[in-house]
Amino acid sequence: MKKTEEQCLGIYIHIPFCLKKCGYCDFLSFSAQKAEQENYIFALLKEIMKWGEYYGKKGKDYQIITIYFGGGTPSVLEPAYIEKIFSTLEKNYTIKSDAEITIECNPKTADYDKFCSYLKAGINRLSMGLQSVHNEELKQIGRIHTWDDFLQTYHAAESAGFSNINLDIISALPDQTYDSYHKTLEQVVHLNPKHISSYSLIIEEGTPFFDMYSQGLLHLPDEDLERQMYYHTNKFLEQNGYHRYEISNYAKAGYESKHNSSYWKRKNYLGFGLGASSLVDNIRFQNVNDFKQYIQRYFQNNENYSNNIEEILPYYKEVQILSKREQMEEFMFLGLRLTEGISKSEFEKLYKRNFDKVYGKVCSRLAGMGLVYCEEDNVRLTNRGIDVSNQVMAEFLLENKVSETL
């Protein structure tokens, strides 16, 4: 029986391990010994089985339409661990035959044999961290690979049989020039991946780069140069057959990331692993960030999982049952990240509210400022609106605009 959209799930699996933390990285990641990895996988499998009692084959039997192994660097794990995770998912959940299944990997952590094992397990998409084609830039940001290392890894993935590959790149790196960034774009396009994610460097508090920047030791491109790189990315990639479908993401036609798109469209997803977040049936919740706490929970309680969600959620932090007002806000500021924007009729179908009565004034004002296109059934950001997207999306917060009874 075909499942409705409400009966489908995406699954995110967090692998927090990496060989070395990069200077700019604020993700929940760290290096770990084999024993720590084994304990983590044990706990992770228990969590996967636990939620299977509720949303898997023994419960509501939601259909899994995307799976994403993120991190950290999932490819630092031995293939047997990835295979065990995937077999546990298959045993406990109904995975759609054409599900998009992605794993993140970095150069020097994967080879031909490992890619073959991924394909055998059922993984059909790779997301590879390149960041730059210049060795001096890679070294400065703390990457463990060179451009040649990356090429070897990329071609090994192609030889193994992967055709759906995303490449991550970063602009506005320390001491980066317009010409050096253009060279990165040229080389990436020459490789002809199906998907490219391009981000401007953000200095996050708590990272080594933040400390260096605070001390004046980090020489970043100025704002004008950063903007030039940003505009050039969009123009150059569009000219070479990559359309921007989200603020930082470009794809060949038909190769947009289904998993990440589900976040922006507020589709149901479960996050397994340390610090992983979930959104199911308008409930947001997040796993604990403390490694020992996560491990101990599943070693101490490894039998007889409840299939009552109200008994499961107390194990998680930041549990938020979203009000209709919060759902509508998320619909707007997540959906507007997509270049296609949002549908007014879909908003009205979901929330039983007239779109123009809720957001009409805001949209008219932003359209008058040249920040959004507001058409009969569509609202989307203009190029100028994308430039200041954070400020634009903040305008769709409903606090003090409409009644809390929404």
Side-chain angles (χ1 to χ4, degrees):
M1 181 183 295
K2 185 177 180 180
K3 300 284 185 179
T4 66
E5 194 171 89
E6 291 76 19
Q7 294 171 300
C8 294
L9 277 173
I11 286 179
Y12 172 79
I13 297 171
H14 189 67
I15 306 297
F17 310 122
C18 55
L19 295 181
K20 178 187 174 185
K21 194 143 176 123
C22 299
Y24 57 85
C25 179
D26 71 331
F27 294 134
L28 182 54
S29 60
F30 45 85
S31 60
Q33 300 299 317
K34 186 174 182 179
E36 293 175 302
Q37 292 183 8
E38 289 178 348
N39 289 341
Y40 182 78
I41 298 303
F42 177 90
L44 179 64
L45 297 179
K46 291 296 183 180
E47 185 182 19
I48 290 171
M49 290 186 283
K50 179 185 72 174
W51 281 102
E53 296 283 339
Y54 193 79
Y55 288 112
K57 293 177 180 179
K58 295 181 181 179
K60 294 184 176 182
D61 197 19
Y62 278 43
Q63 190 170 60
I64 307 305
I65 55 175
T66 65
I67 300 171
Y68 194 102
F69 291 81
T73 307
S75 53
V76 303
L77 289 179
E78 292 297 322
Y81 288 135
I82 300 297
E83 293 167 7
K84 182 64 175 176
I85 294 169
F86 197 77
S87 66
T88 302
L89 287 169
E90 286 186 309
K91 184 177 180 180
N92 288 274
Y93 298 83
T94 300
I95 301 175
K96 193 177 179 185
S97 60
D98 63 348
E100 178 194 84
I101 305 171
T102 305
I103 188 168
E104 293 181 349
C105 60
N106 281 331
K108 297 190 77 171
T109 66
D111 56 19
Y112 175 84
D113 290 339
K114 190 171 281 191
F115 289 130
C116 288
S117 73
Y118 292 162
L119 283 168
K120 185 178 179 181
I123 294 169
N124 52 36
R125 183 175 183 271
L126 298 176
S127 182
M128 301 181 68
L130 168 59
Q131 317 316 353
S132 171
V133 303
H134 303 285
N135 291 338
E136 63 274 17
E137 292 178 357
L138 293 170
K139 183 177 180 180
Q140 189 159 356
I141 63 177
R143 303 293 288 179
I144 64 171
H145 69 270
T146 65
W147 169 231
D148 286 341
D149 292 331
F150 171 83
L151 288 176
Q152 184 176 350
T153 305
Y154 184 81
H155 293 314
E158 288 187 315
S159 297
F162 277 100
S163 59
N164 190 358
I165 302 175
N166 166 65
L167 299 184
D168 285 348
I169 58 175
I170 303 178
S171 61
L173 295 173
D175 298 319
Q176 190 176 52
T177 66
Y178 181 90
D179 288 341
S180 72
Y181 179 62
H182 175 71
K183 183 69 172 178
T184 289
L185 287 173
E186 279 188 323
Q187 293 291 338
V188 166
V189 166
H190 179 72
L191 290 171
N192 198 35
K194 295 297 194 295
H195 190 285
I196 298 170
S197 298
S198 176
Y199 305 98
S200 293
L201 178 68
I202 298 176
I203 306 299
E204 301 284 3
E205 190 170 356
T207 64
F209 269 21
F210 183 85
D211 295 336
M212 293 173 65
Y213 182 74
S214 301
Q215 298 169 33
L217 301 176
L218 206 60
H219 306 113
L220 300 175
D222 61 30
E223 185 176 351
D224 289 342
L225 179 53
E226 187 274 332
R227 287 289 88 187
Q228 289 177 18
M229 293 176 179
Y230 172 80
Y231 295 134
H232 182 57
T233 302
N234 186 42
K235 181 179 179 180
F236 186 79
L237 292 182
E238 291 278 359
Q239 289 173 342
N240 284 276
Y242 295 88
H243 74 97
R244 178 160 64 177
Y245 69 98
E246 190 271 342
I247 289 175
S248 299
N249 287 277
Y250 301 79
K252 297 285 185 73
Y255 287 94
E256 300 84 357
S257 170
K258 295 177 182 178
H259 184 84
N260 288 337
S261 294
S262 71
Y263 295 154
W264 302 315
K265 294 179 179 181
R266 295 194 74 254
K267 305 305 182 185
N268 289 327
Y269 63 92
L270 277 175
F272 298 132
L274 195 67
S277 298
S278 302
L279 172 66
V280 187
D281 299 333
N282 289 308
I283 303 174
R284 284 196 181 277
F285 50 98
Q286 183 181 353
N287 224 325
V288 296
N289 291 336
D290 184 87
F291 184 78
K292 290 183 179 179
Q293 186 179 350
Y294 179 78
I295 298 298
Q296 289 171 357
R297 176 195 303 170
Y298 294 103
F299 271 93
Q300 293 170 356
N301 180 23
N302 58 14
E303 300 291 343
N304 301 322
Y305 295 117
S306 170
N307 63 359
N308 184 339
I309 192 170
E310 294 184 358
E311 294 180 16
I312 299 174
L313 285 177
Y315 287 100
Y316 292 79
K317 69 172 189 174
E318 299 180 15
V319 177
Q320 181 184 17
I321 301 175
L322 297 171
S323 66
K324 184 178 286 189
R325 174 177 67 82
E326 290 166 328
Q327 294 171 41
M328 291 191 294
E329 290 173 343
E330 288 190 354
F331 180 91
M332 295 303 295
F333 60 70
L334 290 175
L336 286 173
R337 291 191 61 89
L338 296 166
T339 56
E340 69 182 28
I342 62 92
S343 164
K344 296 181 183 180
S345 58
E346 183 180 1
F347 177 95
E348 293 176 353
K349 178 182 177 181
L350 288 171
Y351 306 116
K352 307 297 186 289
R353 298 280 299 185
N354 181 275
F355 181 89
D356 289 331
K357 287 185 178 179
V358 179
Y359 281 124
K361 291 182 180 179
V362 174
C363 288
S364 294
R365 178 164 54 82
L366 293 174
M369 298 168 65
L371 300 175
V372 302
Y373 297 110
C374 194
E375 299 168 345
E376 183 176 353
D377 190 45
N378 178 258
V379 179
R380 66 188 191 278
L381 297 179
T382 64
N383 286 336
R384 185 182 170 197
I386 291 174
D387 286 350
V388 291
S389 58
N390 288 340
Q391 294 94 310
V392 173
M393 292 169 188
E395 294 297 314
F396 291 93
L397 295 173
L398 288 169
E399 190 174 0
N400 300 326
K401 291 186 176 73
V402 296
S403 170
E404 284 286 343
T405 60
L406 287 174

